[in-house]
Amino acid sequence: MSGRLGVSADEAVRVVAPARSLRGSPALPGDKSLSHRSLMFSALSAGTQRIHGLSGGGDVVATEGVLRALGADIRRDGEVLVVGPAELREAADVLDCGNSGTSMRLLAGLLAGQPFFSVLTGDSSLRRRPMARILEPLRRMGAQVDGAGQGTRAPLALRGGGLVGIEHRSPVASAQVKSCLLLAGLFAEGELLVREPHRSRDHSERMLAAGGVELDVREDGVAMVCGQRPDFGDVDLGVPADISAAAFFAVAAAIVPGAELRLLQVGTNPTRTGLLDALDAAGVALEAEDERVEAGEPRADLVVRGAALRPFELGGAVIPRLIDEVPVLAVLAARAEGVTTIRDAADLRAKESDRVATTATMLRAFGIAVDERPDGLVIYGQGDRPLRGGAVIDACGDHRIAMAAAIAALVADGPTTLRGVDAVDTSFPGFFTTLDELRHG
Ligand code: S3P
């Protein structure tokens, strides 16, 4: 029962109809990574920061709620969030991070530095995700931390304070690990060095530097003299649109014949633009216009048009630069005639769902042949022949699986039923309405 705009009205189930054409500029949420960091670093800064363009998704709302519970001075002025200076204090209750791994891992670092007791918890998906990657180095810095699963998963109990800097070699390229330790380092003594196998997103480094914190950013990591604090003063901070949200529409424009979409003021930090490299490798026509830099973060309008697609290879250093875009890039690969291989992406199995498995299951439901590998996927793309319509797909509690499936549904030969689509609210409330507004013809 597809509605007039191609989508049924039920909250958790959506029926998505194929699209004849897509045109326009979708309204995009503010960058999620930058939204979390703007809130946390502002809460630690002197002066009053007015944050524009913050993501309204559930993950960022969770960070805001935890910071408020810790005594942060956060007010709303219409669309703008105003963060004043305040001393953080012990919360009266457990702190709920919902579905948000970034909230939990970054706040664990911040709380490890505070001389009081905190408990961080989250939904069933977040309580299954690996936390040893942050807890082991936090313990070495001197924090008392425990958790479920013999101290490896949430709920996490932290008694912070008295930290010293360490050298940490992270086995995974993870901005959450790096940022967690940088936040702890702001409240430690000595020096901190975090190394990673490939460079992960560097928003924390850029934002801390904008707040006057001196960092030594190296090819293989970042070093800091501990005990510094960001000070932004009284300032307006603008969050660009989220490239990880824009990615769904970029792929939609690439696969729907005759489509053209303009994605406005998208964050184009080079540690996040693996998507653009992948689109280029697939032969997608892409232009960047109105390029600017605000508070150390580049942004641009991206114009994307469909073209004949080629298969592509993803692996190595590009993976952290597009880690959240793999489900929707797998949809792109399904529309390229030939074999696309995605390697070195084992950490996808530790996301909101096991995204290697859930992406493979989603594509198979559309009739695409996929091999699942321990660290990635082999996708046998079928060119511009329509995908199989009539599929019923479960989002598995994962917002990015729900949205990737909705994009694939645009090029199926009949309507697709998506279950569990309320998951999209964690990063992109209004996604389905936005998608329908782009339909033409
Ligand atoms: C994020 C880092 C990435 C990414 C996540 C957001 C961040 O996770 O997948 O959506 O804001 O630091 P990892 O650090 O676990 O790779």
Side-chain angles (χ1 to χ4, degrees):
M1 5 140 249
S2 80
R4 189 176 59 85
L5 295 171
V7 167
S8 79
D10 189 294
E11 216 198 313
V13 179
R14 291 268 175 176
V15 178
V16 181
R20 274 199 213 98
S21 179
L22 295 175
R23 295 267 147 173
S25 299
L28 297 169
D31 185 87
K32 190 152 75 74
S33 294
L34 280 167
S35 294
H36 287 296
R37 287 160 174 79
S38 303
L39 284 170
M40 292 183 207
F41 292 137
S42 291
L44 300 177
S45 167
T48 297
Q49 293 77 46
R50 294 175 56 81
I51 308 173
H52 302 252
L54 201 79
S55 163
D59 283 7
V60 174
V61 170
T63 287
E64 184 189 330
V66 171
L67 290 170
R68 279 182 200 276
L70 292 165
D73 172 19
I74 302 179
R75 286 159 281 145
R76 273 187 188 277
D77 179 6
E79 296 284 284
V80 181
L81 213 73
V82 185
V83 186
E87 213 33 49
L88 298 186
R89 53 168 162 68
E90 187 167 288
D93 202 348
V94 300
L95 301 162
D96 190 356
C97 299
N99 188 243
S100 176
T102 309
S103 306
M104 180 165 285
R105 295 198 178 115
L106 269 60
L107 287 164
L110 192 162
L111 290 169
Q114 311 305 313
F116 52 72
F117 177 71
S118 308
V119 178
L120 287 167
T121 191
D123 70 8
S124 58
S125 151
L126 185 53
R127 281 184 273 115
R128 277 194 299 271
R129 295 179 67 183
M131 293 297 148
R133 58 181 64 188
I134 56 160
L135 298 185
E136 183 277 323
L138 287 177
R139 285 188 190 109
R140 273 198 291 128
M141 289 180 80
Q144 292 179 50
V145 283
D146 206 348
Q150 290 172 329
T152 62
R153 293 193 305 271
L156 307 178
L158 301 102
R159 189 170 290 283
L163 303 186
V164 286
I166 56 167
E167 178 175 340
H168 180 60
R169 189 182 289 270
S170 174
V172 278
S174 164
Q176 293 179 355
V177 171
K178 178 173 60 176
S179 304
C180 167
L181 299 183
L182 286 170
L183 276 154
L186 299 177
F187 298 92
E189 286 178 2
E191 286 177 30
L192 176 73
L193 171 59
V194 186
R195 291 182 202 272
E196 47 185 356
H198 294 294
R199 178 166 291 178
S200 63
R201 62 192 68 188
D202 66 358
H203 301 302
S204 295
E205 293 93 309
R206 287 174 189 242
M207 202 175 282
L208 286 170
V213 172
E214 286 181 28
L215 299 160
D216 180 9
V217 178
R218 310 170 181 188
E219 200 39 56
D220 66 340
V222 56
M224 180 178 80
V225 173
C226 294
Q228 305 180 67
R229 294 277 203 290
D231 184 351
F232 303 105
D234 294 327
V235 77
D236 283 67
L237 301 171
V239 177
D242 196 330
I243 191 167
S244 299
F248 297 100
F249 295 108
V251 171
I255 64 174
V256 172
E260 177 176 325
L261 295 178
R262 179 177 284 268
L263 309 168
L264 300 177
Q265 292 301 293
V266 175
T268 50
N269 177 317
T271 60
R272 294 283 298 282
T273 50
L275 167 79
L276 307 186
D277 297 353
L279 290 171
D280 190 50
V284 177
L286 180 85
E287 282 159 45
E289 294 175 4
D290 198 9
E291 298 179 64
R292 298 184 216 169
V293 180
E294 278 184 36
E297 290 283 351
R299 48 171 83 191
D301 292 351
L302 304 176
V303 184
V304 190
R305 291 184 202 91
L309 299 175
R310 299 188 287 266
F312 49 96
E313 304 274 312
L314 300 175
V318 81
I319 294 296
R321 296 177 53 237
L322 48 67
I323 189 71
D324 294 334
E325 286 66 82
V326 170
V328 79
L329 285 171
V331 172
L332 182 74
R335 292 282 283 179
E337 181 93 52
V339 182
T340 288
T341 308
I342 302 173
R343 288 177 285 109
D344 305 320
D347 212 45
L348 281 178
R349 295 192 181 274
K351 296 292 179 188
E352 288 84 327
S353 68
D354 173 346
R355 280 192 187 148
V356 175
T358 50
T359 301
T361 304
M362 183 263 293
L363 287 185
R364 288 186 190 123
F366 285 107
I368 298 295
V370 186
D371 295 339
E372 206 185 297
R373 298 269 166 86
D375 70 336
L377 296 163
V378 180
I379 299 156
Y380 301 88
Q382 61 172 43
D384 56 11
R385 275 175 290 136
L387 305 186
R388 186 165 70 205
V392 179
I393 295 171
D394 192 315
C396 300
D398 188 331
H399 55 134
R400 298 202 199 277
I401 296 299
M403 290 187 277
I407 298 308
L410 300 175
V411 292
D413 61 11
T416 304
T417 303
L418 306 181
R419 298 196 178 281
V421 292
D422 40 345
V424 305
D425 291 349
T426 62
S427 69
F428 200 157
F431 167 78
F432 287 99
T433 312
T434 302
L435 180 57
D436 275 339
E437 284 167 359
L438 303 171
R439 290 177 188 263
H440 281 258

Short mmCIF file of all heavy atoms in Angstrom, two decimals, residues 62-96:
data_model
loop_
_atom_site.label_atom_id
_atom_site.label_comp_id
_atom_site.label_asym_id
_atom_site.label_seq_id
_atom_site.Cartn_x
_atom_site.Cartn_y
_atom_site.Cartn_z
N ALA A 62 21.06 12.42 22.42
CA ALA A 62 21.56 11.64 23.57
C ALA A 62 22.77 12.33 24.20
O ALA A 62 22.87 12.45 25.43
CB ALA A 62 21.93 10.23 23.12
N THR A 63 23.70 12.81 23.37
CA THR A 63 24.87 13.52 23.91
C THR A 63 24.42 14.76 24.68
O THR A 63 24.91 15.04 25.78
CB THR A 63 25.83 13.91 22.77
OG1 THR A 63 26.49 12.72 22.32
CG2 THR A 63 26.88 14.91 23.20
N GLU A 64 23.49 15.49 24.10
CA GLU A 64 22.99 16.71 24.76
C GLU A 64 22.39 16.35 26.13
O GLU A 64 22.66 17.02 27.13
CB GLU A 64 21.93 17.38 23.87
CG GLU A 64 21.43 18.69 24.41
CD GLU A 64 20.23 19.23 23.62
OE1 GLU A 64 20.12 18.96 22.41
OE2 GLU A 64 19.41 19.92 24.24
N GLY A 65 21.60 15.27 26.19
CA GLY A 65 20.96 14.85 27.43
C GLY A 65 21.98 14.48 28.50
O GLY A 65 21.83 14.85 29.67
N VAL A 66 23.01 13.75 28.09
CA VAL A 66 24.04 13.35 29.07
C VAL A 66 24.76 14.59 29.60
O VAL A 66 24.96 14.73 30.81
CB VAL A 66 25.04 12.36 28.43
CG1 VAL A 66 26.22 12.13 29.36
CG2 VAL A 66 24.35 11.04 28.09
N LEU A 67 25.11 15.50 28.70
CA LEU A 67 25.83 16.71 29.15
C LEU A 67 24.96 17.54 30.10
O LEU A 67 25.46 18.06 31.11
CB LEU A 67 26.29 17.54 27.95
CG LEU A 67 27.41 16.90 27.12
CD1 LEU A 67 27.63 17.68 25.82
CD2 LEU A 67 28.72 16.84 27.92
N ARG A 68 23.68 17.64 29.80
CA ARG A 68 22.77 18.36 30.72
C ARG A 68 22.74 17.69 32.08
O ARG A 68 22.78 18.36 33.11
CB ARG A 68 21.34 18.35 30.16
CG ARG A 68 21.05 19.38 29.12
CD ARG A 68 19.57 19.22 28.75
NE ARG A 68 19.27 19.81 27.47
CZ ARG A 68 19.01 21.10 27.30
NH1 ARG A 68 18.98 21.92 28.31
NH2 ARG A 68 18.76 21.57 26.09
N ALA A 69 22.67 16.35 32.09
CA ALA A 69 22.62 15.60 33.36
C ALA A 69 23.90 15.81 34.16
O ALA A 69 23.90 15.66 35.38
CB ALA A 69 22.39 14.12 33.09
N LEU A 70 24.98 16.16 33.46
CA LEU A 70 26.27 16.42 34.13
C LEU A 70 26.41 17.89 34.51
O LEU A 70 27.48 18.32 34.93
CB LEU A 70 27.43 16.01 33.22
CG LEU A 70 27.55 14.50 32.97
CD1 LEU A 70 28.48 14.23 31.78
CD2 LEU A 70 28.08 13.79 34.23
N GLY A 71 25.35 18.66 34.32
CA GLY A 71 25.38 20.06 34.76
C GLY A 71 25.78 21.06 33.70
O GLY A 71 25.95 22.25 34.01
N ALA A 72 25.93 20.62 32.44
CA ALA A 72 26.30 21.57 31.38
C ALA A 72 25.18 22.59 31.19
O ALA A 72 24.01 22.27 31.35
CB ALA A 72 26.57 20.83 30.07
N ASP A 73 25.57 23.82 30.85
CA ASP A 73 24.60 24.91 30.65
C ASP A 73 24.24 24.95 29.16
O ASP A 73 24.93 25.58 28.36
CB ASP A 73 25.25 26.22 31.12
CG ASP A 73 24.40 27.42 30.77
OD1 ASP A 73 23.18 27.25 30.51
OD2 ASP A 73 24.96 28.54 30.73
N ILE A 74 23.18 24.22 28.78
CA ILE A 74 22.77 24.13 27.37
C ILE A 74 21.35 24.66 27.25
O ILE A 74 20.45 24.18 27.93
CB ILE A 74 22.84 22.67 26.85
CG1 ILE A 74 24.26 22.12 27.03
CG2 ILE A 74 22.40 22.58 25.40
CD1 ILE A 74 24.43 20.67 26.59
N ARG A 75 21.18 25.67 26.40
CA ARG A 75 19.84 26.25 26.18
C ARG A 75 19.54 26.26 24.69
O ARG A 75 20.45 26.19 23.88
CB ARG A 75 19.80 27.70 26.69
CG ARG A 75 19.76 27.83 28.20
CD ARG A 75 20.25 29.20 28.62
NE ARG A 75 21.71 29.28 28.60
CZ ARG A 75 22.40 30.36 28.25
NH1 ARG A 75 21.80 31.46 27.87
NH2 ARG A 75 23.72 30.34 28.28
N ARG A 76 18.25 26.37 24.37
CA ARG A 76 17.85 26.48 22.98
C ARG A 76 17.39 27.89 22.69
O ARG A 76 16.65 28.47 23.48
CB ARG A 76 16.70 25.52 22.68
CG ARG A 76 17.19 24.20 22.32
CD ARG A 76 16.14 23.23 21.86
NE ARG A 76 16.82 21.94 21.75
CZ ARG A 76 17.54 21.57 20.70
NH1 ARG A 76 17.60 22.33 19.64
NH2 ARG A 76 18.16 20.42 20.70
N ASP A 77 17.82 28.43 21.55
CA ASP A 77 17.32 29.72 21.10
C ASP A 77 16.83 29.47 19.67
O ASP A 77 17.60 29.60 18.72
CB ASP A 77 18.48 30.74 21.15
CG ASP A 77 18.03 32.11 20.66
OD1 ASP A 77 16.83 32.29 20.38
OD2 ASP A 77 18.91 33.00 20.54
N GLY A 78 15.59 29.03 19.54
CA GLY A 78 15.07 28.62 18.23
C GLY A 78 15.86 27.43 17.72
O GLY A 78 15.98 26.41 18.40
N GLU A 79 16.45 27.60 16.54
CA GLU A 79 17.23 26.52 15.93
C GLU A 79 18.65 26.44 16.48
O GLU A 79 19.38 25.49 16.18
CB GLU A 79 17.33 26.78 14.41
CG GLU A 79 16.01 26.73 13.68
CD GLU A 79 15.53 25.30 13.50
OE1 GLU A 79 16.07 24.60 12.64
OE2 GLU A 79 14.62 24.89 14.26
N VAL A 80 19.04 27.46 17.25
CA VAL A 80 20.44 27.55 17.70
C VAL A 80 20.56 26.96 19.11
O VAL A 80 19.70 27.18 19.96
CB VAL A 80 20.89 29.04 17.71
CG1 VAL A 80 22.34 29.17 18.17
CG2 VAL A 80 20.69 29.65 16.34
N LEU A 81 21.64 26.20 19.33
CA LEU A 81 21.88 25.68 20.67
C LEU A 81 22.95 26.54 21.34
O LEU A 81 24.01 26.76 20.75
CB LEU A 81 22.36 24.23 20.58
CG LEU A 81 21.89 23.41 21.74
CD1 LEU A 81 20.41 23.12 21.61
CD2 LEU A 81 22.65 22.10 21.80
N VAL A 82 22.68 27.01 22.53
CA VAL A 82 23.58 27.93 23.21
C VAL A 82 24.22 27.21 24.39
O VAL A 82 23.51 26.69 25.26
CB VAL A 82 22.80 29.17 23.71
CG1 VAL A 82 23.76 30.20 24.31
CG2 VAL A 82 21.99 29.79 22.57
N VAL A 83 25.56 27.12 24.39
CA VAL A 83 26.27 26.40 25.45
C VAL A 83 27.11 27.39 26.23
O VAL A 83 28.03 28.01 25.69
CB VAL A 83 27.17 25.29 24.87
CG1 VAL A 83 27.78 24.46 25.99
CG2 VAL A 83 26.38 24.39 23.92
N GLY A 84 26.78 27.55 27.50
CA GLY A 84 27.53 28.47 28.37
C GLY A 84 28.55 27.71 29.19
O GLY A 84 28.57 26.48 29.20
N PRO A 85 29.43 28.42 29.90
CA PRO A 85 30.43 27.75 30.72
C PRO A 85 29.80 27.17 31.99
O PRO A 85 28.89 27.79 32.54
CB PRO A 85 31.42 28.87 31.06
CG PRO A 85 30.64 30.13 30.91
CD PRO A 85 29.52 29.88 29.97
N ALA A 86 30.21 26.02 32.40
CA ALA A 86 29.67 25.42 33.63
C ALA A 86 30.65 24.37 34.13
O ALA A 86 31.37 23.75 33.33
CB ALA A 86 28.31 24.77 33.37
N GLU A 87 30.69 24.16 35.42
CA GLU A 87 31.51 23.11 36.04
C GLU A 87 30.71 21.80 35.94
O GLU A 87 29.54 21.77 36.33
CB GLU A 87 31.64 23.52 37.49
CG GLU A 87 32.88 23.24 38.32
CD GLU A 87 34.24 23.24 37.67
OE1 GLU A 87 34.60 24.19 36.93
OE2 GLU A 87 34.95 22.28 37.96
N LEU A 88 31.30 20.73 35.39
CA LEU A 88 30.57 19.47 35.35
C LEU A 88 30.56 18.84 36.74
O LEU A 88 31.47 19.02 37.53
CB LEU A 88 31.23 18.51 34.35
CG LEU A 88 31.24 18.98 32.89
CD1 LEU A 88 31.79 17.88 31.98
CD2 LEU A 88 29.86 19.43 32.41
N ARG A 89 29.48 18.11 37.05
CA ARG A 89 29.35 17.47 38.37
C ARG A 89 28.73 16.08 38.21
O ARG A 89 28.18 15.77 37.15
CB ARG A 89 28.50 18.33 39.31
CG ARG A 89 27.16 18.69 38.70
CD ARG A 89 26.19 19.28 39.69
NE ARG A 89 25.10 19.98 39.03
CZ ARG A 89 24.14 19.43 38.31
NH1 ARG A 89 24.12 18.12 38.11
NH2 ARG A 89 23.18 20.16 37.77
N GLU A 90 28.83 15.30 39.28
CA GLU A 90 28.31 13.93 39.24
C GLU A 90 26.82 13.94 38.92
O GLU A 90 26.06 14.72 39.52
CB GLU A 90 28.55 13.25 40.60
CG GLU A 90 28.19 11.79 40.63
CD GLU A 90 28.74 11.10 41.89
OE1 GLU A 90 29.97 10.91 41.97
OE2 GLU A 90 27.93 10.78 42.78
N ALA A 91 26.39 13.06 38.02
CA ALA A 91 24.97 12.98 37.66
C ALA A 91 24.23 12.17 38.72
O ALA A 91 24.81 11.30 39.37
CB ALA A 91 24.82 12.34 36.29
N ALA A 92 22.93 12.45 38.84
CA ALA A 92 22.12 11.77 39.86
C ALA A 92 21.76 10.36 39.43
O ALA A 92 21.36 9.53 40.27
CB ALA A 92 20.85 12.58 40.13
N ASP A 93 21.87 10.05 38.14
CA ASP A 93 21.37 8.76 37.63
C ASP A 93 22.33 8.25 36.56
O ASP A 93 23.28 8.94 36.19
CB ASP A 93 19.95 8.97 37.05
CG ASP A 93 19.15 7.69 36.99
OD1 ASP A 93 19.73 6.60 37.17
OD2 ASP A 93 17.94 7.78 36.72
N VAL A 94 22.03 7.07 36.03
CA VAL A 94 22.84 6.55 34.93
C VAL A 94 22.63 7.44 33.70
O VAL A 94 21.61 8.12 33.56
CB VAL A 94 22.48 5.08 34.60
CG1 VAL A 94 22.72 4.19 35.80
CG2 VAL A 94 21.05 4.95 34.09
N LEU A 95 23.63 7.43 32.82
CA LEU A 95 23.63 8.32 31.66
C LEU A 95 23.35 7.48 30.41
O LEU A 95 24.10 6.54 30.11
CB LEU A 95 25.00 9.00 31.56
CG LEU A 95 25.36 9.82 32.81
CD1 LEU A 95 26.86 10.10 32.87
CD2 LEU A 95 24.56 11.12 32.85
N ASP A 96 22.28 7.81 29.69
CA ASP A 96 21.80 6.96 28.60
C ASP A 96 22.26 7.49 27.24
O ASP A 96 21.84 8.58 26.83
CB ASP A 96 20.27 6.88 28.66
CG ASP A 96 19.71 5.83 27.71
OD1 ASP A 96 20.51 5.22 26.95
OD2 ASP A 96 18.49 5.63 27.72
#
